[in-house]
Amino acid sequence: MILTKCLPLIWLSLVTLCAGRTLYQRPGKGVKDDASKQPIQTSRPYNIAHRGSNGEIPEETKAAYLKAIEEGTDFIETDILSSKDGVLICFHDVILDLTTDVASRKEFAGRNRTYDVQGFKIPGFFTFDFTLKELKTLRTKQRYAFRDQQYNGKYPIITFEEFLAIAQDAPRVVGIYPEIKNPVLMNQHVKWPGGKRFEDKVVETLKKHGYGGAYLSKNWLNKPLFIQSFAPSSLVYISNLTDSPKVLLIDDVIRPTQDTNQTYAEITSDAYFTYIKEYVVGIGPWKDTIVPVTNNYMLTPTDLVKRAHAHKLQVHPYTYRNENQFLHFNFSQDPYKEYEYWIKEIGVDGLFTDFTGSLHNYQEWASPLPETSKSTRQLLSHIASLVRPYAKA
Ligand SMILES: *[C@@H]1O[C@H](CO)[C@@H](O)[C@H](O)[C@H]1NC(C)=O
Ligand SMILES: *[C@@H]1O[C@H](CO)[C@@H](O)[C@H](O)[C@H]1NC(C)=O
Ligand SMILES: *[C@@H]1O[C@H](CO)[C@@H](O)[C@H](O)[C@H]1NC(C)=O
Ligand SMILES: *[C@@H]1O[C@H](CO)[C@@H](O)[C@H](O)[C@H]1NC(C)=O
């Protein structure tokens, strides 16, 4: 009787202790020897830290990326845009309004413009109207009002090269997942010497820092990388410049591609997969296009993942977010239930998440990596977590 009463408690404490997040040391400077680092795991779906751990810390900042590394991510994800003077930066929106303090800066009051962006007239402060020096004076802020606001005004925008340094300074191998963002717009508004394109600059920067090599090749395993874009012609273009694996992002069903004006149906057909698989290793669809949603309930899944897999394309959907604002009712407000569904039922190969720590916890709980692939320190902390309940009793 007593035992029965206690069981749920014991079970709960075991779960809490055993599923305790594996913390990694914060990255320090000068860790350069890739061969001695704990390798990237390749046996379970990739944990892709969407804009860093932006569920907790303002997106695409150094702090958000360090947090994601500490929380166990496989890849840190970023969006590449350009400053007016052609420096590649990590920033998601083409306008600075929603995630920086630009609107409150008097010195930039005259920079508010309206441009045509993929067929829409968008007003705001565009990254390419500011030099890097000016961008560096801005401070970032949290995008959503219901997330932690305590870091607003603290962190600057980072450059793409600073982002690469964060990945390379990590104490274990951490992959990168940069997006060639809005290439049509960037090439319209920014001119690089020698007639170079935005895409050329991105690949040049990656190569300068030693990135290259086909998926799972030796160099790839030392410096894991997926290059993503919504623009198929950018991916086809860079296929002549680099053999790094590329992923085609797929937007909502109603949106045509920004560069080829093809519909969702066109770029997800079997004929298209046969064509594009010569250039990409996978697709990155918005998850609601895989499992359509009505009134916050999920409907029957489409055959998109099955067909992509039949073409040997990986599927990395976006975006997984813990909050009730984003979780569909089917998941009982439980992010683990959402991960379980997508990993076990749908069978995806990677997940873009705003909460890397939650996905990492879930995976450590549901499909822990073999002990041999873990560092001694992790092993010791795991043993400690196993004996702790007995020590207490
Ligand atoms: C920028 O301009 C647009 C349209 O001209 C206006 O709606 C918006 O409020 C302006 N933003 C700021 C911060 O002044
Ligand atoms: C890639 O290079 C080949 C051979 O030089 C050329 O025929 C092709 O047009 C190039 N493709 C792109 C997309 O630039
Ligand atoms: C894109 O395609 C749509 C529908 O086929 C057409 O109405 C539109 O004019 C096209 N836009 C461009 C920029 O070609
Ligand atoms: C989600 O819940 C609704 C309502 O209960 C149900 O009809 C639907 O089949 C569920 N979707 C999935 C994918 O399980």
Side-chain angles (χ1 to χ4, degrees):
M1 185 64 183
I2 287 171
L3 193 62
T4 329
K5 263 190 190 161
C6 287
L7 266 180
L9 269 178
I10 292 170
W11 182 81
L12 193 70
S13 68
L14 271 174
V15 166
T16 319
L17 288 166
C18 297
R21 179 182 302 167
T22 311
L23 290 179
Y24 294 90
Q25 240 176 310
R26 287 202 163 234
K29 287 276 169 238
V31 190
K32 290 278 180 250
D33 183 6
D34 295 339
S36 68
K37 289 186 182 183
Q38 182 192 329
I40 189 165
Q41 70 77 26
T42 54
S43 61
R44 63 188 187 195
Y46 292 127
N47 182 329
I48 306 159
H50 182 242
R51 309 180 202 169
S53 280
N54 85 91
E56 299 166 78
I57 297 176
E59 63 190 48
E60 314 219 350
T61 58
K62 181 171 182 177
Y65 290 122
L66 291 181
K67 186 80 176 169
I69 292 169
E70 181 187 311
E71 291 178 333
T73 196
D74 296 317
F75 288 85
I76 48 175
E77 194 263 0
T78 197
D79 301 280
I80 308 174
L81 288 172
S82 180
S83 67
K84 183 178 185 172
D85 44 347
V87 182
L88 304 181
I89 57 162
C90 296
F91 204 76
H92 179 270
D93 299 352
V94 291
I95 56 171
L96 298 157
D97 306 42
L98 302 182
T99 56
T100 76
D101 58 0
V102 69
S104 68
R105 305 289 285 266
K106 289 196 179 62
E107 67 273 34
F108 299 130
R111 293 295 167 89
N112 189 4
R113 304 279 149 75
T114 298
Y115 293 112
D116 189 272
V117 182
Q118 290 164 239
F120 297 95
K121 294 253 176 282
I122 306 284
F125 299 87
F126 286 76
T127 65
F128 51 77
D129 282 332
F130 292 75
T131 62
L132 179 68
K133 201 172 165 207
E134 290 171 333
L135 289 172
K136 279 287 187 185
T137 69
L138 302 176
R139 288 296 172 266
T140 56
K141 64 178 186 189
Q142 181 53 257
R143 178 181 296 270
Y144 296 108
F146 49 81
R147 288 184 176 170
D148 192 351
Q149 307 294 310
Q150 69 162 309
Y151 304 104
N152 294 356
K154 289 204 166 134
Y155 306 121
I157 292 172
I158 61 170
T159 65
F160 184 38
E161 289 201 280
E162 286 166 344
F163 169 84
L164 296 177
I166 294 169
Q168 288 177 33
D169 284 346
R172 58 191 170 86
V173 175
V174 171
I176 58 165
Y177 209 131
E179 178 180 344
I180 300 177
K181 195 86 186 173
N182 297 84
V184 176
L185 192 74
M186 288 304 113
N187 283 315
Q188 258 167 17
H189 292 274
V190 185
K191 296 296 164 221
W192 283 274
K196 280 192 178 145
R197 284 168 59 159
F198 179 49
E199 292 92 333
D200 297 323
K201 292 302 293 181
V202 173
V203 174
E204 209 176 272
T205 309
L206 287 168
K207 285 185 165 175
K208 178 180 156 194
H209 290 270
Y211 285 91
Y215 182 55
L216 297 183
S217 66
K218 190 160 175 279
N219 198 51
W220 188 90
L221 288 168
N222 279 335
K223 291 191 163 66
L225 158 70
F226 289 106
I227 303 173
Q228 47 166 337
S229 184
F230 281 106
S233 59
S234 284
L235 296 171
V236 171
Y237 174 75
I238 65 163
S239 69
N240 268 359
L241 308 176
T242 176
D243 57 354
S244 293
K246 302 156 196 83
V247 170
L248 176 65
L249 298 174
I250 296 176
D251 214 327
D252 191 1
V253 290
I254 56 166
R255 301 199 65 179
T257 66
Q258 60 186 269
D259 55 336
T260 59
N261 197 29
Q262 285 164 295
T263 63
Y264 175 85
E266 281 171 308
I267 62 166
T268 57
S269 67
D270 282 321
Y272 191 79
F273 283 166
T274 302
Y275 157 75
I276 202 70
K277 75 179 179 194
E278 299 301 320
Y279 304 100
V280 303
V281 298
I283 57 170
W286 184 38
K287 62 184 170 45
D288 287 11
T289 71
I290 299 174
V291 187
V293 172
T294 298
N295 297 326
N296 208 23
Y297 284 110
M298 301 167 74
L299 308 176
T300 309
T302 66
D303 61 359
L304 184 64
V305 173
K306 272 197 190 71
R307 288 193 301 104
H309 282 168
H311 286 88
K312 302 223 180 330
L313 290 166
Q314 294 191 32
V315 183
H316 302 170
Y318 63 94
T319 303
Y320 297 86
R321 297 178 163 121
N322 286 7
E323 291 105 336
N324 298 335
Q325 283 89 339
F326 302 110
L327 277 175
H328 302 311
F329 288 144
N330 296 69
F331 299 123
S332 321
Q333 307 195 346
D334 176 0
Y336 272 25
K337 215 167 162 181
E338 183 179 42
Y339 290 133
E340 180 176 50
Y341 175 79
W342 283 90
I343 292 172
K344 300 217 168 126
E345 302 285 320
I346 303 293
V348 299
D349 311 291
L351 303 92
F352 288 77
T353 176
D354 279 6
F355 291 87
T356 274
S358 295
L359 175 53
H360 182 72
N361 276 350
Y362 168 73
Q363 289 187 295
E364 285 292 286
W365 173 63
S367 52
L369 295 174
E371 294 301 341
T372 46
S373 69
K374 293 189 176 182
S375 71
T376 317
R377 207 169 61 81
Q378 280 174 274
L379 200 60
L380 286 175
S381 93
H382 183 63
I383 292 168
S385 76
L386 291 178
V387 300
R388 214 169 290 141
Y390 304 101
K392 265 190 193 141

